[in-house]
């Protein structure tokens, strides 16, 4: 069973290590272009923590095995979608960013997604075209591909959405 709680500021170094492990996982799967140039930086993660948007995933031994940012509300990069459309574009939504796990952990993404469904039923996510692992996980959990969005720096991302019916 994986427990999820808010990240504590003292856990920054642990999270940065998890991001490095996640990058190794990506590179092994031929995803060579995502999370390059030092991304995510400790400045970004510190802001996630300070804003109350950073969460950790703990295993049964209470060790941190994963992390993600969960943000409620409009994401400016989701304001325009190309080559498609959102499944629903009027209800409030939550977004997951920077989902990462240790190289030897299992079930972090599933636990994260289940936890989010309990927070809000309209969820959006995006990922790099080369991130086949996350695309598979999103589709497995009922997310549907909606189109292409562009990050503030101009980078393309594939956009997904899931709406849980209550």
């Amino acid at each position: 069973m994986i427990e999820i709680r808010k990240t504590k500021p003292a856990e920054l170094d642990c999270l940065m290590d998890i991001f490095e492990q996640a990058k190794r996982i990506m590179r092994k799967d031929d995803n060579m272009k995502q999370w390059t140039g030092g991304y995510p930086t400790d400045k970004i993660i510190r802001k996630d923590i300070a804003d109350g948007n950073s969460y950790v995933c703990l295993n049964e031994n209470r060790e941190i095995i994963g992390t993600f940012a969960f943000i409620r509300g409009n994401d400016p990069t989701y304001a325009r979608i190309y080559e498609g459309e959102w499944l629903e574009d009027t209800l409030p939504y939550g977004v997951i960013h920077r989902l990462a796990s240790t190289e030897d952990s299992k079930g972090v993404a599933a636990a994260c997604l289940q936890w989010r469904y309990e927070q809000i039923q309209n969820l959006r996510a995006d990922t790099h075209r080369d991130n086949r692992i996350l695309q598979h996980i999103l589709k497995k959990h009922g997310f549907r591909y909606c189109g292409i969005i562009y990050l503030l720096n101009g980078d393309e991302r594939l956009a997904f959405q899931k709406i849980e019916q209550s």
Side-chain angles (χ1 to χ4, degrees):
M1 172 94 180
I2 294 175
E3 176 188 339
I4 295 174
R5 67 160 168 77
K6 288 202 180 221
T7 306
K8 298 172 185 171
E11 295 168 330
L12 177 68
D13 288 343
C14 179
L15 268 56
M16 298 312 291
D17 178 61
I18 290 171
F19 289 122
E20 289 305 313
Q21 291 183 56
K23 289 177 194 179
R24 288 194 294 269
I25 293 167
M26 287 183 203
R27 301 309 173 252
K28 286 177 188 173
D29 194 54
D30 290 328
N31 180 355
M32 307 307 236
K33 297 178 184 171
Q34 189 174 5
W35 288 11
T36 58
Y39 182 89
T41 64
D42 60 352
K43 180 179 178 182
I44 290 170
I45 305 310
R46 274 196 199 99
K47 181 171 180 359
D48 284 344
I49 295 168
D51 291 347
N53 296 328
S54 179
Y55 295 85
V56 292
C57 303
L58 307 171
N59 67 11
E60 59 277 351
N61 298 323
R62 312 245 340 122
E63 299 164 325
I64 297 174
I65 59 169
T67 183
F68 62 93
F70 177 67
I71 303 164
R72 288 180 184 262
N74 294 340
D75 185 318
T77 60
Y78 291 174
R80 300 187 81 177
I81 189 164
Y82 302 88
E83 299 179 29
E85 61 185 15
W86 296 113
L87 301 176
E88 200 291 324
D89 202 23
T90 61
L91 296 172
Y93 61 89
V95 177
I96 187 169
H97 289 299
R98 295 176 282 288
L99 172 62
S101 66
T102 60
E103 290 171 288
D104 58 353
S105 62
K106 300 279 186 240
V108 169
C112 166
L113 293 172
Q114 182 57 46
W115 178 86
R116 286 190 324 140
Y117 301 146
E118 296 165 7
Q119 312 305 310
I120 191 167
Q121 281 71 49
N122 186 2
L123 305 172
R124 294 182 183 181
D126 67 86
T127 191
H128 194 279
R129 187 175 293 276
D130 293 342
N131 193 337
R132 292 181 300 275
I133 294 171
L134 186 55
Q135 290 173 49
H136 171 76
I137 290 168
L138 291 172
K139 290 173 185 174
K140 178 179 172 183
H141 287 274
F143 280 76
R144 291 191 36 213
Y145 173 74
C146 294
I148 296 171
I149 61 149
Y150 291 93
L151 303 180
L152 297 177
N153 69 2
D155 288 350
E156 173 197 87
R157 293 292 183 266
L158 304 181
F160 296 82
Q161 185 174 26
K162 179 176 182 178
I163 300 172
E164 286 282 307
Q165 303 302 324
S166 40

